[in-house]
Every structure is written in structure tokens, then in C-alpha cells.
Amino acid sequence: MHNKNMKSSLTLILSCLIMFIVSCSSIPTQDQNKSNIKLKLNIETSNKNKEIIIESLLKENIQFSINFDANNSYLLKDAVLNSNMKYFCKSFIDEQRDIIESAVFNKKDNDDKRILIIYSDKYINSISPLKSKHPQELYYLLSKKDFENNIKKILHVNQSIERYSHISNLDKNLEIQHNPRVRKDISKIYFLTDYDLGKTIVPIFKNYALSINFYSTSELFHDAADIKKLADFEGTFIPLSPEIFQKIINKKNITNIQNEFEILMIDDFLEIEKINQNNLYKRKILLETGYTKVQKNKCIDRSLPIWKIDMNNLILQT
């Protein structure tokens, strides 16, 4: 009973605090460039997203009013990166997948090599449409169970090791330098895994398959709590610019990279809402995810490039 009363009290305090902050933020600012910009929002969303929205709007130093309890409000889902947010054509993750998969499966006419797709249990539903579109490629489900031996089998490294062992056994006095050879019929590797598995298996694949290009979306490192953890995926092609990481590389004690991306996505949504409500259309605007066009009554495509992760370059530019 005591815990229930405590929870109700905390909810009431939070609601009052939000109402107080919003009422204070509606006072006209002294910033002459923004004094005429107003923003009115009716949004239904999680407490986590409410906090991000309030913090973002207070930094803007504009007049705004916001209602989180109005009927028929816009629903901003808690899973921001997978949500088809208002004004955007697709979710952040779907847009990344479209871009990276276009690069992965774009094969030259004379290229008879195959694409290797490595995925975990979490992405089984995403694999089905890929198999339908590209049935000739190689698909392997990996887990943490005996993953190293499974990687050797997938790349045929075990066969190379067995051949070496056989030759060595013919003459024990013969010293042979041996670097395990991987199969020659793979041109690219596409990873559909989360950070927990990815941080373990990608460095192993890299150790054996240095000459093969790796590809992934940002899902590969969402749960990393430090941008420097991207070093585990050095050289991997991802559909994001280094600038998006420079926005967060100096932040300390972040929850994880996914949370930082969610903040940036909500900032973009609020920026476009501001443009629409105040008729501030421009040919191109700089969002947190890069330059894009905002046109009335047209959904927005994010202009996501493909970047090869380069930690030295990223740190030097910061």
C-alpha cells in the first residue's frame, strides 16, 4: 500500500513539474531571431521521450506549449529508431537497411561470388524477405554457443587448418609457416546482429577475412555505452556519417548509443515541426542526421551516406 501511494505521489510531482516547466517556457524570450517562432504540440509518448522533448525545447529558447494528455494526440512510440515518425517517409532503421542493402546486394554482372549474411535470433523475421529477394546468397544463424568453431566452418578455415595438420604430420621436423585460408567465393559479409553478439564475432571474422568488406546498420553497436567501442567494428561500412558520432563522442556517462540516436531523432522531429508550424521552409536544412529537403505535404528522406568506420579519423576531427 505504501509503495502504491509513493508511486502515485511521484507521478503527481512529475506531472506538476512538467506543467511548471512548460508554463515558464511560454514566456517570450529575448532572442530576437526566435521571438516570433512558436510551437504547439499534442503528443502521446513514454516518460523517457517526454523528458527528451522537454530538454530539447528548453535548449531552443523559443515559445512553446505542449500537452501530453490531449485526446487524438500524435503517438510518438517509445522505440523511436524503429518508429515511422511524423514527416519522415520511413523509420531511421528501415532507411538505413534500404541504403546498406542496396550497397551489399549491388553485384556486378561478372561477379560470381556470393554474399554472406550473418544473423542472430533477433533478426530471423528480417531474414525471410532477404531470402526471398536473394535466394542464391549464403545465410547463417549464429549464437554465442560455440561461435568460434562455427565461424571457422562458415569461412572454411577449419579445412585449411586440417590440411596444414595433415602436412605437418608427414614430417615432424619440417617447419611450415601457415596462415589459415578462407573460402574464395565470398565478396561481402552483411551482419544483422545486436551489440552483444556483434562485439564478439565481428573481430573474429575480421581476423580471418581481412580482404572481405563488412556491412551493417547501426543496430550492430546500439547497446555500446561508449563511442570508442566502435573500434571493434573498424573498417565496417555503415549508413551513417561520421558527423553524427562527433555530436556525442565527447559526452560522458551516456546510457548507450541507441539512446543518443533517439535524442537526435526527436530533435529532428521537433525541428521539422517548428518549420511546418511557422512556415520556415527552405531548400535545404541541416538536421542532426545531415542535410535534407523539407517540402510542404511531402515526406522526408534522410540523406544518409555510407561511411567506413575509421576511429583515427573520427577522433582527429573531433
Side-chain angles (χ1 to χ4, degrees), residues 35-248:
S35 61
N36 294 324
I37 297 176
K38 296 180 181 179
L39 194 59
K40 184 178 181 180
L41 299 168
N42 294 322
I43 298 177
E44 179 185 346
T45 192
S46 64
N47 285 337
K48 177 197 73 177
N49 289 342
K50 288 175 185 177
E51 290 180 19
I52 294 172
I53 290 168
I54 292 295
E55 287 181 14
S56 179
L57 289 173
L58 289 176
K59 290 175 187 174
E60 279 287 297
N61 198 26
I62 62 172
Q63 296 182 60
F64 72 89
S65 64
I66 185 164
N67 191 333
F68 291 124
D69 299 311
N71 293 327
N72 302 317
S73 298
Y74 164 60
L75 175 62
L76 177 59
K77 294 180 181 178
D78 184 59
V80 171
L81 303 188
N82 289 289
S83 171
N84 193 2
M85 294 175 71
K86 186 179 177 183
Y87 301 120
F88 290 95
C89 300
K90 295 181 179 179
S91 74
F92 185 56
I93 295 301
D94 283 344
E95 204 156 344
Q96 283 194 57
R97 286 188 185 174
D98 285 352
I99 290 167
I100 207 69
E101 286 171 12
S102 177
V104 168
F105 297 104
N106 181 22
K107 298 170 72 174
K108 296 178 181 178
D109 293 337
N110 61 352
D111 189 356
D112 57 354
K113 292 186 176 183
R114 302 164 80 183
I115 312 298
L116 174 61
I117 297 94
I118 301 296
Y119 65 99
S120 59
D121 284 330
K122 182 179 176 180
Y123 295 92
I124 286 177
N125 291 336
S126 300
I127 287 298
S128 297
L130 281 182
K131 284 184 175 180
S132 297
K133 288 181 187 177
H134 311 284
Q136 72 279 12
E137 309 303 352
L138 302 167
Y139 298 84
Y140 285 95
L141 172 65
L142 273 187
S143 68
K144 281 197 165 183
K145 184 179 179 182
D146 203 24
F147 60 86
E148 188 155 9
N149 281 329
N150 286 328
I151 291 171
K152 289 177 181 178
K153 289 176 183 177
I154 291 168
L155 295 176
H156 293 176
V157 170
N158 59 330
Q159 296 177 13
S160 177
I161 293 171
E162 286 170 7
R163 285 194 296 271
Y164 166 72
S165 297
H166 177 69
I167 294 170
S168 296
N169 288 332
L170 295 176
D171 188 344
K172 297 292 185 182
N173 296 318
L174 188 65
E175 290 187 10
I176 302 173
Q177 296 293 326
H178 178 254
N179 292 315
R181 294 182 180 179
V182 301
R183 56 195 298 172
K184 301 295 185 182
D185 62 337
I186 296 173
S187 60
K188 302 170 186 174
I189 302 178
Y190 178 33
F191 293 97
L192 274 167
T193 73
D194 57 16
Y195 179 64
D196 188 44
L197 180 63
K199 66 181 179 182
T200 305
I201 66 170
V202 172
I204 296 173
F205 273 100
K206 193 193 304 181
N207 184 49
Y208 291 124
L210 283 172
S211 61
I212 299 176
N213 288 332
F214 294 176
Y215 297 80
S216 181
T217 67
S218 62
E219 294 166 288
L220 184 63
F221 46 78
H222 275 178
D223 289 331
D226 189 336
I227 290 292
K228 292 175 182 176
K229 298 294 183 182
L230 285 175
D232 289 331
F233 313 109
E234 181 80 20
T236 301
F237 290 94
I238 59 172
L240 292 173
S241 70
E243 285 76 20
I244 199 170
F245 297 102
Q246 288 167 3
K247 296 174 189 294
I248 56 180

Side-chain angles (χ1 to χ4, degrees), residues 264-295:
L264 296 178
M265 294 307 105
I266 289 176
D267 284 348
D268 281 352
F269 160 70
L270 293 172
E271 181 66 22
I272 296 164
E273 190 71 69
K274 184 176 69 178
I275 289 168
N276 277 274
Q277 290 190 26
N278 293 272
N279 199 27
L280 299 173
Y281 299 103
K282 297 178 182 178
R283 184 167 294 178
K284 272 194 171 184
I285 64 162
L286 180 60
L287 297 177
E288 299 292 359
T289 47
Y291 281 99
T292 192
K293 289 183 180 180
V294 179
Q295 296 175 285

